[in-house]
Amino acid sequence: MADVTGPPAPAAGPQNSGPPVAQASSLLGTGSIDRSEQPGRVGLLLVLAGLLVGAAIGLSFVANEQAQSLIVWLLALLAMAGVFFLFALAIGALQLSGSAARDDITKGIVDASPDGQLVVEDGGRLIYANEAYLRIASGDTFSNLVPVERILVGSPEVSEAVYRLSQASRDARAHTEEVRMSPPLGPTAGERGFGWYRVSVRPLARPRRAASLWTVADITAERERQENVFQELQHAIDYLDHAPAGFLSIDPAGAIVYMNATLAAWLGYDLASVGPGGPHLTEIAPEADVLVRTAGLPGEVRTDRFDLDLRRRNGHTLPVRLYHRVAFGKDGKPGSSRTFVINRSAGAETDEPQRAAEVRLARFLNNSPIAIATLDSGGRIARANASFTRLFGTVPRQADDGAPDGEGVPRVEPNVADSVADRTALEAGLARAASGRTDPEPIEVQLNGPGGRSARVWLSPADGGDAGQQTDEAERVILYALDTTAQRQLEQQVAQAQKMNAVGQLAGGIAHDFNNVLQAIIGYSDLLLASHRPTDPAFQDIMQIKQNANRAAGLVRQLLAFSRRQTLRPEVMNVGEALSELTLLLKRLLGERVALELKHGREVWPVKADVNQFEQVIVNLAVNARDAMPEGGKLMIRTENVSDPGAAAEAEGRGGAPAGDHVLIEVRDTGQGIPPELMEKIFEPFFTTKEIGKGTGLGLSTVFGIVKQSGGTIDVQSKVGEGTAFRIYLPRHVPVAEPEEVPVAAAEPALPRAEPLAPASTTAHPDSGSDAKPVTAPAAGGDAAVPKGETPPAKVDKPAPRKPAADHTGQGTILLVEDEDPVRAVNSRALSARGYTVLEAASGLEALAIVREGAQTIDLVVSDVVMPEMDGPTLLREVRKHQPDLKVIFVSGYAEDAFRKNLPEGETFNFLPKPFSLKQLVETVKKTMAD
């Protein structure tokens, strides 16, 4: 049943109302229509009447005595039902339809809602529409009422919105759209040409059949208000854009949030390019980082004035005055600025000489690389230029010219002494300058904050020492300061390098002299071992002497590695393959509590280094990392290519990659870290933080020496509690093509190159074979040549060396040149015992005299390198004048590179590093004599 009651209500302003309740009754005195009520069922009434008639007929067939009893019980039952019904009606448990539903306050609110409300059951049956919807749809009964989909017709945009709403209704979900109808809906169609409507749909939960509630709200007036506000905002922006002064807003990160058209035109930028993703503050004002470094109190609004130069897009400068206002939040964090910009360039205003002079002075002071500030006698800052702010990190507070007198936050000027680590010297200088002394002395100060910055400060009186001149108490002293951070760091680096070189020279000298001592001990031990049988009780004692001498030789090799004077056998190698071969050894060294992770870069370039020494570097770093993680942790070894950084290259690889292409090997641990005060000492020999007896202090010094001697650099980054990272940069190996013409020197067969020595280790046995083989000094230009157009492999398989004959005896005359008497004596005995004729010389001059005499034909010269009066390379050059084909073996505790540069190009020689065993000596002599 549907009815329409009440006169139509006047149209109300558009606003959205709350949703109605699903249940509905009959109608109030409004124009809504409702057929959601269920009509009374006549069938139930007929059934009840039939039951009563049947009961009466049935009683007529019962005896009178029994019928009376049944009639009494039936009447009693009906009476009780009537009583219960009355009680239920009285307490409201039952309500009569009609007036009860009409008094429903919720339905009354929905009926009177200014927004159109329509309830549609599944299947499209309309069951409720309030008066506002009837006006919008121009209907009065369900027979001529249409759903929302049929009244919203028009442009494709409207059809798409209706489709989305219908789809949401079918899916039982809420959805809202705003559409523009032209002409508008309802009786206002003739008053205006269009209308805006907010249409929404949402599901209604009903006990029997699901339904959807459609709401249509007229928001035309709301849209008009929004458009008016937007137009007013556009007018305000237009006024600001075309103001005769510049304006910009800068966020705390230095990004330009807004810039008006006037300032953009001054700087030559397109206004559309300004904003997020546009120019940064550093692009328009490289020296204006002071604008984002201001600090304030919580809740303070701070205004500062700055005279500086902006940079136009064409690179020219623009002198301006900035009024920079920043509001600080309750947490003390700054917000975006409001910065007013006044153009002070010539022609921007009446160009009075006084104004022009003021602009020139302001530009001179603010563009000066010298930090300048005026202070009071206590050190509080009154004025400062941009260089001062960058150096000291503080900005003086300036009065807000727009604030009324006595209002605003009281000024608390920062003190320059708060920016330095030691205020004593600075405060003494302030006192001298405030008293009028005009002979300022430079004061070296360390600045607070990260980076270890330092400065040199001069303080002078503002009145020039004239006691009669009136001076503002806030500007009693003028401060001048220079940033000396880079200079101090360079001085420290030079001092550290000089100290390391001095220590290296000392260590190398000690190692060389100690090598001679060890050479004699090992030689005489070999002689004693040759004259004793293994069953002799003294044999084990002699072996102990020799083994401890070998241990000492290992320490000497570490000292030579630090001083970069050890013997290296560089070869082209693949870093990734070398690390992979070390994996099992590293895992055994690290133990179960330290996890090892290898990260190999893609297509890592080859490098040229001594494989054994490279492995020694990695092992030493891994052992140090393990000791730094007593509770366990993770060790990561990473490799990658590092291209030439160009101008961004760091000297000695400190904090970044050095110049040129390099291969990076990073060894990073998660250990305890290295304290900053120990960072400059970690590469010094014999420096260790381990307990006594648990370290020699030569591990990192050996790493440093090997890396430096290989042409690389090493950088250390560490944080206490987080771990340490050692970054090794080895130069990229680029093969050099061999010239097509064959040099004359190549006609003679070159002798094979020596096999590399075993890595410095206390377990290396000196008698494991001959370490000395012929070496040919390369031509100037570097690496071994390869055929033109070809690239040598990362690792070349060398021919298997000939197995030394068991018989080490021989014949020939050997000139033995050695300035150490014990070494010369033991070597002479060993060679003489093998059948050689030995001529001894204690210096190069004696050896040269023997050669010049020519009394005997000399077949081989065995000479030390470092000797008084005449060294080995000089002796070789002189001997070649008399016997060009004479074979030579050099013996030395230094590396070949230490004297190779003193030899002519292509000079052929053999090299035997000290200390060596007598077996190595006789094997090398016999092999050289046989060649």
Side-chain angles (χ1 to χ4, degrees):
M1 180 179 68
D3 58 23
V4 179
T5 61
Q15 61 183 4
N16 204 2
S17 64
V21 182
Q23 62 175 339
S25 302
S26 59
L27 305 175
L28 288 172
T30 62
S32 63
I33 56 177
D34 187 358
R35 58 181 177 188
S36 61
E37 294 183 1
Q38 296 296 328
R41 298 185 180 183
V42 180
L44 293 177
L45 181 60
L46 294 177
V47 171
L48 180 61
L51 291 175
L52 293 176
V53 172
I57 296 173
L59 291 174
S60 63
F61 294 100
V62 180
N64 291 335
E65 295 81 5
Q66 296 178 355
Q68 290 180 359
S69 174
L70 292 174
I71 292 173
V72 171
W73 282 107
L74 180 60
L75 292 177
L77 180 62
L78 293 176
M80 291 178 63
V83 171
F84 280 115
F85 175 78
L86 292 176
F87 273 108
L89 186 64
I91 65 176
L94 293 177
Q95 292 183 353
L96 299 177
S97 64
S99 61
R102 294 177 182 277
D103 292 337
D104 189 343
I105 187 64
T106 304
K107 186 176 184 302
I109 294 174
V110 177
D111 289 343
S113 171
D115 299 336
Q117 307 279 350
L118 176 68
V119 180
V120 183
E121 285 186 338
D122 287 350
R125 180 172 177 264
L126 309 181
I127 62 173
Y128 175 79
N130 70 347
E131 180 184 358
Y133 186 80
L134 295 178
R135 287 197 305 271
I136 292 174
S138 300
D140 53 2
T141 64
F142 284 111
S143 60
N144 60 4
L145 189 65
V146 294
V148 176
E149 296 96 323
R150 295 181 59 186
I151 65 173
L152 296 178
V153 293
S155 63
E157 292 81 4
V158 176
S159 300
E160 293 175 1
V162 172
Y163 173 77
R164 291 190 291 270
L165 290 166
S166 301
Q167 190 66 33
S169 176
R170 287 191 291 271
D171 297 340
R173 56 185 176 85
H175 188 65
T176 302
E177 295 278 352
E178 291 187 0
V179 296
R180 185 181 187 275
M181 298 295 297
S182 180
L185 303 176
T188 60
E191 300 177 3
R192 54 176 182 253
F194 66 92
W196 280 94
Y197 299 92
R198 182 181 294 116
V199 185
S200 61
V201 62
R202 70 180 184 86
L204 283 180
R206 303 179 71 235
R208 287 178 298 275
R209 196 171 184 180
S212 298
L213 171 64
W214 292 75
T215 304
V216 182
D218 188 348
I219 60 172
T220 306
E222 179 181 341
R223 279 296 189 123
E224 290 178 348
R225 286 195 299 271
Q226 292 178 356
E227 291 178 359
N228 291 336
V229 171
F230 180 76
Q231 289 179 356
E232 293 175 359
L233 180 61
Q234 286 293 106
H235 288 312
I237 294 176
D238 184 69
Y239 297 150
L240 183 60
D241 274 345
H242 298 90
F247 182 84
L248 78 159
S249 179
I250 308 166
D251 69 6
I256 298 177
V257 180
Y258 173 78
M259 178 189 296
N260 72 342
T262 302
L263 182 57
W266 289 349
L267 299 177
Y269 284 96
D270 183 5
L271 190 60
S273 66
V274 178
H280 194 268
L281 175 63
T282 55
E283 298 179 40
I284 68 169
E287 305 298 328
D289 53 348
V290 60
L291 300 179
V292 296
R293 299 178 63 176
T294 56
L297 303 174
E300 178 187 4
V301 178
R302 176 172 177 175
T303 302
D304 296 312
R305 186 184 68 191
F306 301 99
D307 292 319
L308 46 82
D309 286 354
L310 300 183
R311 178 189 293 171
R312 292 187 172 100
R313 192 173 184 180
N314 58 9
H316 297 169
T317 58
L318 175 70
V320 296
R321 170 168 290 178
L322 303 182
Y323 290 89
H324 185 68
R325 171 168 290 188
V326 180
F328 295 86
K330 293 183 179 180
D331 56 356
K333 295 182 178 179
S336 296
S337 73
R338 307 292 185 268
T339 306
F340 190 71
V341 185
I342 298 178
N343 187 349
R344 308 191 72 192
S345 60
E349 59 183 56
T350 305
D351 194 16
E352 304 96 351
Q354 182 178 0
R355 187 203 60 82
E358 182 182 354
V359 171
R360 285 195 297 270
L361 180 60
R363 297 179 67 179
F364 173 77
L365 293 177
N366 283 285
N367 294 332
S368 171
I370 302 175
I372 304 174
T374 56
L375 317 172
D376 67 3
S377 57
R380 286 181 290 273
I381 307 169
R383 300 177 186 272
N385 66 348
S387 297
F388 178 89
T389 303
R390 285 191 297 272
L391 181 59
F392 287 86
T394 184
V395 181
R397 302 178 184 275
Q398 301 180 15
D400 187 355
D401 296 340
D405 294 340
E407 296 184 7
V409 180
R411 295 174 56 185
V412 180
E413 302 294 351
N415 197 305
V416 67
D418 296 334
S419 302
V420 301
D422 186 6
R423 350 178 12 139
T424 306
L426 188 63
E427 290 176 346
L430 280 170
R432 288 196 302 269
S435 64
R437 294 184 57 179
T438 58
D439 52 345
E441 298 179 357
I443 304 172
E444 301 292 338
V445 296
Q446 192 75 20
L447 302 179
N448 295 327
R453 296 175 302 119
S454 59
R456 181 171 297 153
V457 177
W458 291 265
L459 297 169
S460 63
D463 55 7
D466 186 1
Q469 183 178 353
Q470 296 294 327
T471 305
D472 187 359
E473 289 297 327
E475 297 181 337
R476 292 285 302 276
V477 178
I478 301 178
L479 178 145
Y480 307 91
L482 283 177
D483 188 352
T484 59
T485 304
Q487 177 184 348
R488 292 286 294 275
Q489 291 177 350
L490 182 60
E491 291 175 352
Q492 292 175 359
Q493 292 174 8
V494 171
Q496 180 68 10
Q498 291 176 345
K499 181 176 70 173
M500 296 295 284
N501 287 335
V503 174
Q505 291 178 358
L506 176 62
I510 293 174
H512 176 265
D513 295 338
F514 197 50
N515 260 336
N516 289 327
V517 177
L518 293 176
Q519 181 63 60
I521 295 174
I522 293 174
Y524 283 110
S525 298
D526 287 340
L527 292 178
L528 290 175
L529 289 173
S531 60
H532 288 72
R533 294 182 178 182
T535 57
D536 194 323
F539 186 86
Q540 294 299 327
D541 297 335
I542 301 172
M543 283 296 299
Q544 285 294 327
I545 294 174
K546 183 175 180 179
Q547 289 176 2
N548 282 280
N550 290 333
R551 291 183 58 190
L555 294 176
V556 171
R557 278 192 290 269
Q558 290 181 326
L559 284 175
L560 288 174
F562 167 72
S563 62
R564 289 169 261 173
R565 298 181 182 182
Q566 66 172 343
T567 302
L568 295 182
R569 304 294 184 187
E571 61 181 82
V572 179
M573 59 174 287
N574 185 293
V575 173
E577 293 178 359
L579 290 175
S580 298
E581 294 174 358
L582 271 179
T583 302
L584 294 178
L585 174 61
L586 292 177
K587 288 183 177 180
R588 287 196 298 268
L589 288 174
L590 296 176
E592 298 180 354
R593 307 184 71 176
V594 178
L596 175 64
E597 179 181 356
L598 291 180
K599 286 188 177 181
H600 298 294
R602 294 175 59 88
E603 300 179 356
V604 176
W605 297 319
V607 299
K608 192 169 186 180
D610 189 318
V611 178
N612 293 327
Q613 298 300 328
F614 175 78
E615 293 176 350
Q616 186 72 33
V617 167
I618 300 301
V619 168
N620 285 1
L621 293 178
V623 170
N624 275 358
R626 178 201 64 190
D627 295 341
M629 298 181 286
E631 303 298 328
K634 179 179 179 182
L635 176 67
M636 185 182 72
I637 303 178
R638 180 175 64 91
T639 64
E640 70 172 358
N641 294 331
V642 179
S643 301
D644 187 359
E650 297 289 343
E652 295 295 320
R654 293 177 179 267
D661 293 341
H662 287 76
V663 173
L664 169 67
I665 303 99
E666 183 184 62
V667 181
R668 178 183 295 272
D669 64 61
T670 58
Q672 301 169 348
I674 304 174
E677 61 271 13
L678 301 181
M679 287 292 290
E680 297 297 332
K681 302 179 180 179
I682 58 175
F683 293 123
E684 296 180 5
F686 306 111
F687 175 80
T688 180
T689 57
K690 299 178 182 179
E691 299 177 6
I692 298 176
K694 292 190 176 181
T696 62
L698 292 174
L700 290 181
S701 62
T702 303
V703 170
F704 179 83
I706 294 174
V707 172
K708 288 294 184 181
Q709 192 172 358
S710 301
T713 59
I714 184 169
D715 179 41
V716 187
Q717 301 293 330
S718 181
K719 290 185 178 180
V720 177
E722 296 184 9
T724 304
F726 287 86
R727 297 188 178 98
I728 299 172
Y729 297 92
L730 294 180
R732 175 186 181 182
H733 172 69
V734 179
V736 180
E738 181 182 5
E740 294 183 359
E741 60 272 15
V742 179
V744 177
E748 298 181 2
L751 296 176
R753 191 160 180 72
E755 291 293 331
L757 290 172
S761 172
T762 57
T763 60
H765 198 282
D767 295 337
S768 58
S770 175
D771 290 296
K773 293 191 179 179
V775 179
T776 300
D783 303 329
V786 297
K788 185 175 181 180
E790 296 183 11
T791 302
K795 191 172 184 179
V796 180
D797 293 330
K798 300 179 180 179
R802 291 177 299 173
K803 185 177 181 180
D807 182 13
H808 293 158
T809 61
Q811 293 181 354
T813 302
I814 300 175
L815 176 58
L816 181 61
V817 187
E818 174 62 59
D819 60 327
E820 291 287 338
D821 295 338
V823 177
R824 185 174 69 254
V826 70
N827 291 344
S828 176
R829 287 180 57 183
L831 294 174
S832 299
R834 274 22 176 224
Y836 297 103
T837 301
V838 180
L839 304 178
E840 299 184 22
S843 66
L845 292 178
E846 292 184 16
L848 185 59
I850 295 175
V851 172
R852 286 174 178 173
E853 289 178 1
Q856 297 185 25
T857 302
I858 300 175
D859 300 307
L860 177 67
V861 176
V862 179
S863 173
D864 194 5
V865 174
V866 180
M867 296 180 295
E869 298 179 348
M870 179 181 290
D871 59 5
T874 305
L875 173 63
L876 178 60
R877 285 196 299 269
E878 295 297 328
V879 168
R880 288 286 185 238
K881 297 177 183 179
H882 302 277
Q883 297 187 27
D885 299 330
L886 185 60
K887 298 176 182 179
V888 176
I889 299 176
F890 281 127
V891 295
S892 177
Y894 291 137
E896 300 172 31
D897 297 338
F899 61 89
R900 189 199 304 270
K901 58 186 178 181
N902 297 326
L903 295 174
E905 293 183 5
E907 180 64 60
T908 301
F909 64 94
N910 294 67
F911 182 73
L912 185 62
K914 290 181 180 179
F916 50 82
S917 65
L918 296 183
K919 180 181 178 182
Q920 291 174 315
L921 174 63
V922 297
E923 284 181 350
T924 304
V925 169
K926 185 174 182 66
K927 191 177 298 182
T928 305
M929 296 284 284
D931 293 338

